[in-house]
Amino acid sequence: MSSAATTTTTTEDSTFSFKSYMHQKRNSVNQALDSAVSLKEPEIIHESMRYTLLAEGKRVFPIVCIAACELVGGNESTVMPAACAIEMIHAMSLIHDDLPSMDNDDFRRGKPTNHKVFGESIAILAGDALLALAFQHIANATIGVSPSKIVRIVGELAKAIGSEGGVAGQVMDITLTGVPGVGLEQLEYIHLHKTALLLEVSAVMGAILGGGSDEEVKYLRTFARSTGLLFQVVDDILDVTKSSEQLGKTAGKDLMTDKTTYPKLIGLDKSREFAEKLNREAKEQLSHFDTEKAAPLVSLANYILNRQN
Amino acid sequence: MSSAATTTTTTEDSTFSFKSYMHQKRNSVNQALDSAVSLKEPEIIHESMRYTLLAEGKRVFPIVCIAACELVGGNESTVMPAACAIEMIHAMSLIHDDLPSMDNDDFRRGKPTNHKVFGESIAILAGDALLALAFQHIANATIGVSPSKIVRIVGELAKAIGSEGGVAGQVMDITLTGVPGVGLEQLEYIHLHKTALLLEVSAVMGAILGGGSDEEVKYLRTFARSTGLLFQVVDDILDVTKSSEQLGKTAGKDLMTDKTTYPKLIGLDKSREFAEKLNREAKEQLSHFDTEKAAPLVSLANYILNRQN
């Protein structure tokens, strides 16, 4: 990846250890998730929910939620139920997207997908249950903020994942996969709706619960939207560069999948330029905040730009 | 059906026309549902959502929600978003339950099921989107009540449909279908979780939004739970009596399906006695309210006992 971006990281967070920050936040989130879904009856459905929810993951969505809350002056305990909810939604979308009638994936991060372990019907129901639990957890476990804020984040979260949000993205994805002539606008639509809106609502929920002003919520909304899009552009780039190593040539991967990607549409160099532009735009939004307090999110935007997997 | 129950109906609501009440409420609900899901982009997902949501139906869940609200002194406009939400959840569960990996039903009320029209992937996503929309609609469209009540009903609704509610019922249903030796306790678990809890939360949401006291909420909770169980017991009875007419003998239907039903476990007469007991228990809860105001729910409990389809 670009050395300019790496330098920026080092300069901007010289006094801040991103690695230990992520480690500590990931641990808190994992503990909270573990407590949020215990092995009640019927056991099989809770096992299925836990299988995907507690699988190894970056926890980028909940960490952005917590970081946004803390940036505007809130604290971790207030925002934790919402942070867990966003990871429940993320797990739900992974389970449903992997189903045979959707992307038909047998493995995710080297582990069999949920329906390969628990069967298709339980996997569908586990997704439904995680979706419901996200709202249950926000409504019942969020303490120390006004109910009007809770109502506001319920509305924001539901919109981000429904037929105008994540579902819309998945609909376009399955509708356009394999269709020739998919352009930049359609690709951005899919990435925006499938990923960026979920990261956006993570930041927005955190900012609202943390007591952020309308202006602050807006800055963090734009930050997370750009960062979410950045995440997908980098994903597309890694797809190509990883496959190049594995297959010896990019064309092989291109022929193997019908997925439209940024490198396919605008080339690898322009994709990297675009990623850097998104990273800059994201960080510009953070310039409205105290530099020290914004360090976690600045580092996160850089981490997402520079990540290798 | 028993003439005693019919007499009770006639006596208790002599000044109240249940037929016109249901007609008027069903129209209001249908109009509100139509407005709640418009044909936005991507069109196919909204078409799929509307296909099941706006299909002909009794609208028992939303009507119980509205009636409970009005019984405790609230008004229809306050509760309508929650009433629509419960029908969205009901439609979602129909769509997902009909899927090939679940009950594999090709028809529902004479119309092809959602996945037969739109394909399996869109049907799954339409269910997900309806689930999300239910919460979005409650959070964004409910006006005239304190946000703390909205938070409370979000928690109640989510619990009723999730891994301890509707999902648990469907898990037990698919796990136990075809398994020999299913007993009364398991049958009641399925009916309670798949149907009664949804009717219960309909009444509870209505009672909370209408400003009911804790006692009133409790009475209406118990009323709706008994009525929901009653609905399923009558369903089981109709299954047998309808099939008797169609097949000339009950045994044919018994052999055709592996489903455990009340008549199968305790016989037709005892099933009818049980239905009448549930109907009485439900109406006992309503004796705590003004007789005239309780007429719609009394009639509804009788209608569910005496319905022929």
Side-chain angles (χ1 to χ4, degrees), chain A residues 48-62:
Chain A
S48 170
M49 291 162 77
R50 287 172 60 89
Y51 179 79
T52 301
L53 184 65
L54 304 181
E56 212 192 298
K58 297 188 182 70
R59 311 292 182 228
V60 167
F61 297 107

Side-chain angles (χ1 to χ4, degrees), chain A residues 51-61 87 90-91 94 98 105-114 231 235 242 303 307 309:
Chain A
Y51 179 79
T52 301
L53 184 65
L54 304 181
E56 212 192 298
K58 297 188 182 70
R59 311 292 182 228
V60 167
F61 297 107
E87 194 67 16
H90 180 50
L94 297 181
D98 284 341
D105 280 320
D106 291 354
F107 289 93
R108 178 171 287 280
R109 293 205 199 104
K111 277 177 71 182
T113 45
N114 200 294
F231 189 93
D235 231 41
K242 276 200 297 184
Y303 159 73
R307 74 202 171 91
N309 59 56

Side-chain angles (χ1 to χ4, degrees), chain A residues 281-293:
Chain A
E281 283 173 1
K283 288 188 293 190
E284 265 167 35
Q285 302 296 320
L286 301 176
S287 65
H288 301 283
F289 297 90
D290 174 85
T291 310
E292 205 179 313
K293 282 187 182 158

Side-chain angles (χ1 to χ4, degrees), chain B residues 101-299:
Chain B
S101 61
M102 302 269 198
D103 302 345
N104 196 20
D105 282 318
D106 290 354
F107 289 93
R108 179 171 286 279
R109 295 205 195 101
K111 277 176 71 181
T113 44
N114 200 295
H115 64 273
K116 295 304 277 186
V117 179
F118 297 95
E120 220 177 311
S121 52
I122 293 295
I124 294 170
L125 291 167
D128 295 350
L130 283 166
L131 214 170
L133 184 60
F135 293 102
Q136 186 181 339
H137 199 56
I138 287 179
N140 295 349
T142 308
I143 49 170
V145 288
S146 72
S148 65
K149 284 190 182 129
I150 302 176
V151 172
R152 203 171 146 202
I153 68 163
V154 165
E156 290 273 0
L157 179 60
K159 190 175 179 196
I161 65 180
S163 63
E164 294 173 84
V167 165
Q170 177 67 358
V171 167
M172 291 301 262
D173 197 4
I174 54 178
T175 310
L176 295 175
T177 294
V179 173
V182 172
L184 260 187
E185 204 181 322
Q186 288 158 313
L187 183 63
E188 192 165 307
Y189 182 97
I190 293 170
H191 284 342
L192 176 68
H193 286 77
K194 277 191 77 166
T195 307
L197 288 187
L198 200 61
L199 201 67
E200 181 180 315
V201 81
S202 306
V204 166
M205 290 199 302
I208 291 171
L209 292 177
S213 66
D214 286 352
E215 283 266 278
E216 289 176 319
V217 172
K218 206 186 83 195
Y219 295 140
L220 285 164
R221 186 187 287 278
T222 311
F223 160 81
R225 184 182 279 229
S226 297
T227 308
L229 219 48
L230 170 65
F231 189 92
Q232 282 307 134
V233 176
V234 173
D235 230 40
D236 281 5
I237 294 171
L238 288 175
D239 242 30
V240 176
T241 49
K242 277 201 296 183
S243 78
S244 298
E245 285 158 25
Q246 284 155 12
L247 304 173
K249 59 180 177 118
T250 308
K253 177 78 174 174
D254 277 351
L255 290 171
M256 274 170 62
T257 72
D258 282 330
K259 284 265 178 195
T260 305
T261 62
Y262 276 95
K264 234 187 213 173
L265 288 177
I266 58 174
L268 201 52
D269 286 348
K270 282 226 173 319
S271 299
R272 282 181 171 145
E273 275 172 33
F274 184 46
E276 278 165 30
K277 184 171 161 268
L278 287 169
N279 172 274
R280 274 194 310 275
E281 283 174 2
K283 288 189 294 190
E284 265 167 37
Q285 303 297 320
L286 300 177
S287 66
H288 301 283
F289 296 91
D290 175 83
T291 311
E292 205 179 313
K293 282 188 182 156
L297 287 178
V298 169
S299 301

Side-chain angles (χ1 to χ4, degrees), chain A residues 40 46 96 101 128 163-164, chain B residues 40 46 96 121 128 163-164:
Chain A
K40 296 169 198 157
H46 294 98
H96 281 191
S101 61
D128 294 349
S163 63
E164 295 172 85
Chain B
K40 297 169 196 156
H46 294 98
H96 282 191
S121 52
D128 295 350
S163 63
E164 294 173 84

